[in-house]
Amino acid sequence: MGYFCLNLFYKPAILKKIITVSLMLAFCVFISPAKAQTADKSATPLTKKLFKNLKDALSRGILFGHQDDLAYGVGWKYEEGRSDVKEVTGEYPGIYGWELSGLEDNDSLNIDGVPFSKMIQYIRQGYERGGVITASWHLDNPVTGKNAWDTTHGGVAACLPGGTQHTKYKAWLDNVAKFSQSLKGANGELIPVLFRPFHELTGNWFWWTKNTNTPEEFKALWRFTFDYLSKEKKVHNFIYVYNTANFSNQAQFLERYPGDEYVDMVSFDAYQYGDPLKDNRFVNEVSRQLNILDTIAKAHNKIPALGETGYEAIPYAQWWTKTLWKTIAEHPLSYVLLWRNYGKQENGNWHYYVPFKGQVSEKDFKEFHSMERVFFEKKTKQLNLYR
Ligand code: BMA
C-alpha cells in the first residue's frame, strides 16, 4: 500500500483522475436531490422520461393546458385542426385535457358527447406535437348508477375488495385499461397520460369526495385502483395525479393522500368566482394554497400542478395577466389547465374558460401567452419531454 501511495505522487495524471472521480461520487451521494421515480416502477421508458422531464421543466416554466381543446370550441365542433387557443394565440396548448366518463358503461361518447374514437386521434395529435396528455374521470356512482355528482354515500366502500360493487368497479377499470392501451404513437409506442382520478377529493360534490367516505376507505380505493391497473391490467403509461379542491393547510391536503408510492403528481383545482376587481379572494387564497403545495411537493419529491382553473365566460378583460398570472407566476408549477369551451348552455349561461376571437379577454390572453415562463405548443415541444 505504501508503495502504491508513494507511486501515485509521481503520477499526477492518475492522482487527478482519482480526485475527480471521488468528487463526482461525493456530488451524487451528498448533493444531488433524491432521484424521483414514477410510482409505477414498471412504467414504460417513455412514461418515465416524461415524468423526469416534467420534473426538470419545473425550473423553466408552466405548461398551459385546455380541456377538450381539439374537439370543440365556442361555436364549432369536430373541425379538423381547430382550437380556440390556437385561433387566438397562433399555437396549440402545451397540455391537453380529456375526460373519460362514459368508458365505464362502454359508451361510444363521453359524458360531454366527445366520441372516444375521435379522442384517441386527438390524443395522438397532441402527443405528436410534443404536448402532454392528461385525463380526468367523472365516473358514475357505482351504487346508484347515477352520475358522478350523485353523492349517495357508500360508493367508495362498495368498490373495495369484498364490497357490493367491486366486480363492477373492476370491469370499469378494465375499460380504462383497454382505452389507455389503445393510445399509441406512430411507431406503436404507448402514449403516456397524466391520469387524475377521483379529482377534487376534498370537495363535497362527487360520490368519492370527503363527505361520503373515511380517509382510510379513500386511500384503500386509490391503492386498489393503482395496483389493479398497474399490476393486474399492466397499464404502464399512467402518471398518477392526486388532486384536491379547497384546503386550508397541509394536513387537509394530505388527509386522504394514499402514500408516496402511489402518487406522481400533487395538484388542486381552483376556480375564480365573483368579481376579481372587487375582491382579491382568488389571488390570495390560491397563492396561499400554492405555497402549501410547493412545500408538499418538495417534501414528497412530487411534481406540483394546478389541475383545473378558470373564470367562467371570462368577463374580466385582464383576468389572465392581473389575476391568473399574478397568482401563479412565482410558483414552480408543471402545468395549469383551463376547463372546456362548451359555449352556450341549455339554461342560457355561457360555459367556456379560454377566449375565442373577439372575446373580451382576447388581448390580455395574448399577453399572457407571450410571457417567458408560459409554455404553449412551441416551447413545450422544445422541452423534448419524451426524450
Ligand atoms: C364540468 C362541466 C360539465 C361537464 C363536466 C365533465 O365541470 O363542464 O358540463 O360535463 O365538467 O367534463
Side-chain angles (χ1 to χ4, degrees), residues 99 111-112 138 149 339-340 351:
E99 165 59 38
I111 188 174
D112 302 317
H138 288 74
W149 292 267
W339 204 240
R340 64 199 199 103
H351 190 56

Tab-separated table of all heavy atoms in Angstrom, residues 99 111-112 138 149 339-340 351, ligand 1:
chain	number	residue	atom	x	y	z
A	99	GLU	N	-61.580	13.769	-20.976
A	99	GLU	CA	-62.463	13.254	-19.928
A	99	GLU	C	-62.937	11.839	-20.286
A	99	GLU	O	-63.430	11.611	-21.386
A	99	GLU	CB	-63.658	14.233	-19.796
A	99	GLU	CG	-64.846	13.716	-19.027
A	99	GLU	CD	-64.529	13.309	-17.599
A	99	GLU	OE1	-63.718	13.972	-16.926
A	99	GLU	OE2	-65.089	12.282	-17.168
A	111	ILE	N	-69.094	11.738	-21.486
A	111	ILE	CA	-70.177	12.467	-20.803
A	111	ILE	C	-70.535	13.780	-21.515
A	111	ILE	O	-71.649	14.262	-21.428
A	111	ILE	CB	-69.763	12.725	-19.335
A	111	ILE	CG1	-70.886	13.298	-18.496
A	111	ILE	CG2	-68.543	13.631	-19.269
A	111	ILE	CD1	-70.532	13.432	-17.014
A	112	ASP	N	-69.576	14.352	-22.225
A	112	ASP	CA	-69.809	15.621	-22.917
A	112	ASP	C	-69.987	15.429	-24.421
A	112	ASP	O	-69.874	16.385	-25.193
A	112	ASP	CB	-68.656	16.594	-22.622
A	112	ASP	CG	-68.509	16.850	-21.124
A	112	ASP	OD1	-69.548	17.039	-20.460
A	112	ASP	OD2	-67.372	16.841	-20.623
A	138	HIS	N	-64.971	11.531	-14.573
A	138	HIS	CA	-66.171	11.766	-13.770
A	138	HIS	C	-66.997	10.477	-13.785
A	138	HIS	O	-68.073	10.429	-14.370
A	138	HIS	CB	-66.997	12.911	-14.364
A	138	HIS	CG	-66.393	14.274	-14.189
A	138	HIS	ND1	-65.308	14.713	-14.907
A	138	HIS	CD2	-66.737	15.308	-13.372
A	138	HIS	CE1	-65.012	15.965	-14.546
A	138	HIS	NE2	-65.860	16.333	-13.617
A	149	TRP	N	-71.962	13.218	-9.744
A	149	TRP	CA	-72.400	14.231	-8.778
A	149	TRP	C	-73.461	13.672	-7.812
A	149	TRP	O	-73.959	14.397	-6.964
A	149	TRP	CB	-72.956	15.467	-9.503
A	149	TRP	CG	-71.892	16.212	-10.241
A	149	TRP	CD1	-71.160	17.269	-9.765
A	149	TRP	CD2	-71.415	15.981	-11.575
A	149	TRP	NE1	-70.272	17.700	-10.716
A	149	TRP	CE2	-70.408	16.935	-11.839
A	149	TRP	CE3	-71.740	15.067	-12.574
A	149	TRP	CZ2	-69.716	17.000	-13.048
A	149	TRP	CZ3	-71.056	15.117	-13.786
A	149	TRP	CH2	-70.059	16.077	-14.016
A	339	TRP	N	-60.492	24.917	-18.056
A	339	TRP	CA	-61.584	23.984	-18.372
A	339	TRP	C	-62.166	24.252	-19.770
A	339	TRP	O	-61.701	25.110	-20.509
A	339	TRP	CB	-62.630	24.015	-17.248
A	339	TRP	CG	-63.405	22.735	-17.205
A	339	TRP	CD1	-64.759	22.594	-17.356
A	339	TRP	CD2	-62.879	21.405	-17.020
A	339	TRP	NE1	-65.084	21.258	-17.288
A	339	TRP	CE2	-63.959	20.513	-17.082
A	339	TRP	CE3	-61.597	20.890	-16.836
A	339	TRP	CZ2	-63.804	19.124	-16.968
A	339	TRP	CZ3	-61.430	19.511	-16.713
A	339	TRP	CH2	-62.528	18.652	-16.780
A	340	ARG	N	-63.176	23.514	-20.125
A	340	ARG	CA	-63.603	23.365	-21.513
A	340	ARG	C	-64.378	24.568	-22.086
A	340	ARG	O	-65.033	25.294	-21.348
A	340	ARG	CB	-64.431	22.083	-21.662
A	340	ARG	CG	-65.729	22.079	-20.887
A	340	ARG	CD	-66.279	20.677	-20.682
A	340	ARG	NE	-67.704	20.706	-20.349
A	340	ARG	CZ	-68.656	20.421	-21.214
A	340	ARG	NH1	-68.371	20.085	-22.446
A	340	ARG	NH2	-69.926	20.465	-20.850
A	351	HIS	N	-70.646	28.749	-20.962
A	351	HIS	CA	-69.703	27.864	-20.260
A	351	HIS	C	-68.455	27.739	-21.137
A	351	HIS	O	-68.394	26.932	-22.049
A	351	HIS	CB	-70.385	26.503	-20.061
A	351	HIS	CG	-69.648	25.541	-19.154
A	351	HIS	ND1	-69.285	25.831	-17.860
A	351	HIS	CD2	-69.226	24.262	-19.368
A	351	HIS	CE1	-68.690	24.772	-17.316
A	351	HIS	NE2	-68.627	23.819	-18.208
B	1	BMA	C1	-67.996	20.072	-15.554
B	1	BMA	C2	-68.831	20.795	-16.586
B	1	BMA	C3	-69.802	19.790	-17.116
B	1	BMA	C4	-69.072	18.563	-17.672
B	1	BMA	C5	-68.115	18.000	-16.645
B	1	BMA	C6	-67.282	16.854	-17.175
B	1	BMA	O1	-67.165	20.916	-14.867
B	1	BMA	O2	-68.025	21.301	-17.633
B	1	BMA	O3	-70.568	20.393	-18.139
B	1	BMA	O4	-69.992	17.569	-18.049
B	1	BMA	O5	-67.270	19.014	-16.193
B	1	BMA	O6	-66.459	17.235	-18.232
